[in-house]
Amino acid sequence: MNLSTSRRTAAAAVLALAGLLAATAPSASAAPRAALAAPDIPIANVKAHLNQLQSIATANGGNRAHGRPGYKASIDYVKAKLDAAGFTTSVQQFTSSGATGYNLIADWPGGDANQVLMAGAHLDSVTSGAGINDNGTGSAAVLETALAVSRAQLKPTKHLRFGWWGAEELGLVGSKYYVNQLPSTERTKFSGYLNFDMIGSPNPGYFVYDDDPAIEKTFKDFYTGLGVPTEIETEGDGRSDHASFKNVGIPVGGLFTGASRTKSSAQAQKWGGTAGQAFDRCYHSSCDTTANINDTALDRNSDAIAHAIWTLGTEPTTPPGESTENTTDVAIPDNGAAVTSPVTIAGRTGNAPTALKVGVDVKHTWRGDVVLDLVAPDGTAYRLKDSSSNDSADNVITTYTVNASSEPANGIWKLRAQDVAAQDTGYIDSWKLTF
Ligand code: TRP
Ligand code: ZN
Ligand code: CA
């Protein structure tokens, strides 16, 4: 055994011991490590990628469209940068409209494989132009963020994955293909997908997707820090690749600076630019070149992507099996009104699990009198237990499993108990939710 191997073994033993101590320590005392701060993404680097994509289009008939040589050349350019930076890349082929399309997937080694955080952008243009705002901007900013992850040698808690989609302009074809070929067990491992499509429009707005609340908040917090107001993205919800992920239940978010819609005077007042003019007058046109970019918008959005990757990717991951308990006794009046006991869930992303465990400890002298429901934050009730005139045993001390996958995880959940027959009584002693 050489020295470096034995050192690694000793270090591994220390880590294992630390893990053991952390696992047995009471969870309340384990102060969670805060998420790390993101680096500034150099706008010059992002623009250098745009110049390369412009050159690729110019050398290939003026576009980077699906099935045209400029598309594959774009894939090769992005892939070479990622390979050199230590990513594990793969190119996925599909067929659309009789032509071969390509997705590029880049994994950053490490992080929790059961909690994947992915950022992506479509790399194809329409045939009428080079597609520098649509979507060289998203492609270049995601690429430069990935390269910043490599420069920082980031050790995220989540597993980071980056994607560049083909044939978005033909109807989200590449991203749909990617999601469809994922086994359902892999889909459940996504903690989020972040989409960037048109983030440097020349007459920009600052739009944040309002799909997943935790992801939306991450972007809004960044813009609040800059003192720049944002609006919710409404110019064709579902018109980009995040829809492919959202359709299979993956939490999504993203940024957008506007396409053919017109900037209002109120928007021009808060963001500058020209009222009564499209956010991008060159949308899907031959003039979508490197001249069709607002550098400030592209700079801010590139930094916002890094902020989201660093914040969501390095936040302490909540280990499966963690419980939140309410131990305050709540009396259940005899043959009376329903009572509730709350449990607050915060800081999670996405929905509750398909197998949400509801641990119940109800003391009662005749449990057949008792009806129990789990009430989700939006008021949806899940029946745990009905009354029964012949169940004369006492107490309900058990764990129920509820498919709560259509409910956002965060919010105030309640155990609701009602005693529906006279004489025997009891109380909620404690209950807990295990995610
Ligand atoms: N995806 C569209 C395109 O490539 C552009 C677009 C329109 C868009 N509306 C959107 C992108 C809303 C993101 C969000 O042509
Ligand atoms: Zn487009
Ligand atoms: Ca009773």
Side-chain angles (χ1 to χ4, degrees), residues 126-298:
V126 292
T127 53
S128 45
I132 297 304
N133 185 37
D134 179 16
N135 184 31
T137 53
S139 296
V142 171
L143 171 59
E144 194 55 31
T145 301
L147 298 180
V149 165
S150 168
R151 286 192 291 267
Q153 286 294 299
L154 191 64
K155 302 271 179 285
T157 50
K158 302 213 179 111
H159 179 73
L160 301 183
R161 183 173 298 159
F162 299 88
W164 289 263
W165 311 120
E168 186 269 356
E169 299 289 5
L170 278 60
L172 321 182
V173 177
S175 57
K176 278 183 194 163
Y177 181 87
Y178 174 76
V179 166
N180 285 338
Q181 57 82 45
L182 284 175
S184 60
T185 51
E186 292 303 310
R187 292 179 192 164
T188 63
K189 295 177 183 171
F190 279 79
S191 79
Y193 169 73
L194 314 179
N195 193 63
F196 304 98
D197 184 359
M198 304 183 72
I199 58 167
S201 302
N203 185 28
Y206 292 90
F207 300 104
V208 178
Y209 302 0
D210 70 338
D211 300 278
D212 179 77
I215 298 173
E216 180 184 359
K217 181 179 186 303
T218 305
F219 288 121
K220 283 182 167 172
D221 286 350
F222 174 82
Y223 271 100
T224 301
L226 287 188
V228 174
T230 59
E231 289 184 14
I232 288 164
E233 185 284 302
T234 59
E235 190 175 354
D237 237 357
R239 274 178 65 186
S240 191
D241 298 296
H242 58 294
S244 307
F245 290 79
K246 186 176 179 173
N247 284 341
V248 298
I250 294 170
V252 304
L255 299 170
F256 179 56
T257 50
S260 53
R261 204 179 261 184
T262 303
K263 184 180 270 189
S264 71
S265 46
Q267 289 171 328
Q269 250 160 47
K270 64 177 164 185
W271 291 326
T274 311
Q277 197 175 89
F279 294 106
D280 183 357
R281 287 194 290 179
C282 291
Y283 175 61
H284 284 189
S285 303
S286 59
C287 59
D288 187 7
T289 65
T290 46
N292 189 43
I293 296 298
N294 180 288
D295 288 0
T296 303
L298 182 59

Side-chain angles (χ1 to χ4, degrees), residues 30-194:
R33 169 168 75 83
L36 298 174
D40 181 82
I41 299 298
I43 182 66
N45 293 9
V46 179
K47 294 198 73 179
H49 300 315
L50 293 183
N51 286 335
Q52 292 302 315
L53 294 175
Q54 177 71 63
S55 298
I56 287 168
T58 303
N60 288 282
N63 69 65
R64 303 180 301 101
H66 169 73
R68 307 293 181 93
Y71 182 71
K72 183 57 166 51
S74 301
I75 286 278
D76 293 345
Y77 171 75
V78 177
K79 182 176 185 296
K81 296 281 179 195
L82 294 161
D83 286 338
F87 284 84
T88 306
T89 60
S90 68
V91 175
Q92 195 174 57
Q93 290 195 20
F94 56 89
T95 305
S96 184
S97 305
T100 302
Y102 307 89
N103 292 328
L104 172 62
I105 308 296
D107 283 274
W108 181 242
D112 183 348
N114 288 314
Q115 302 195 57
V116 178
L117 176 65
M118 186 170 197
H122 79 86
L123 186 57
D124 64 315
S125 72
V126 292
T127 53
S128 45
I132 297 304
N133 185 37
D134 179 16
N135 184 31
T137 53
S139 296
V142 171
L143 171 59
E144 194 55 31
T145 301
L147 298 180
V149 165
S150 168
R151 286 192 291 267
Q153 286 294 299
L154 191 64
K155 302 271 179 285
T157 50
K158 302 213 179 111
H159 179 73
L160 301 183
R161 183 173 298 159
F162 299 88
W164 289 263
W165 311 120
E168 186 269 356
E169 299 289 5
L170 278 60
L172 321 182
V173 177
S175 57
K176 278 183 194 163
Y177 181 87
Y178 174 76
V179 166
N180 285 338
Q181 57 82 45
L182 284 175
S184 60
T185 51
E186 292 303 310
R187 292 179 192 164
T188 63
K189 295 177 183 171
F190 279 79
S191 79
Y193 169 73
L194 314 179

Side-chain angles (χ1 to χ4, degrees), residues 332-336 364-366 369-370 419-426:
I332 308 171
D334 186 29
N335 199 16
H364 203 278
T365 51
W366 185 300
D369 290 3
V370 179
D419 179 311
V420 297
Q423 289 188 358
D424 289 273
T425 61

Side-chain angles (χ1 to χ4, degrees), residues 332-417:
I332 308 171
D334 186 29
N335 199 16
V339 294
T340 61
S341 170
V343 151
T344 300
I345 302 296
R348 288 185 174 268
T349 314
N351 284 5
T354 47
L356 177 62
K357 302 280 186 225
V358 187
V360 169
D361 184 348
V362 169
K363 300 296 189 323
H364 203 278
T365 51
W366 185 300
R367 72 181 182 195
D369 290 3
V370 179
V371 178
L372 294 176
D373 291 293
L374 173 70
V375 183
D378 71 351
T380 309
Y382 294 85
R383 180 55 48 95
L384 302 174
K385 176 196 175 303
D386 276 310
S387 61
S388 157
S389 55
N390 54 26
D391 185 0
S392 64
D394 58 14
N395 303 340
V396 187
I397 303 174
T398 190
T399 299
Y400 300 97
T401 302
V402 171
N403 181 350
S405 58
S406 67
E407 307 288 345
N410 292 334
I412 301 172
W413 296 74
K414 289 170 184 155
L415 178 68
R416 185 166 70 198

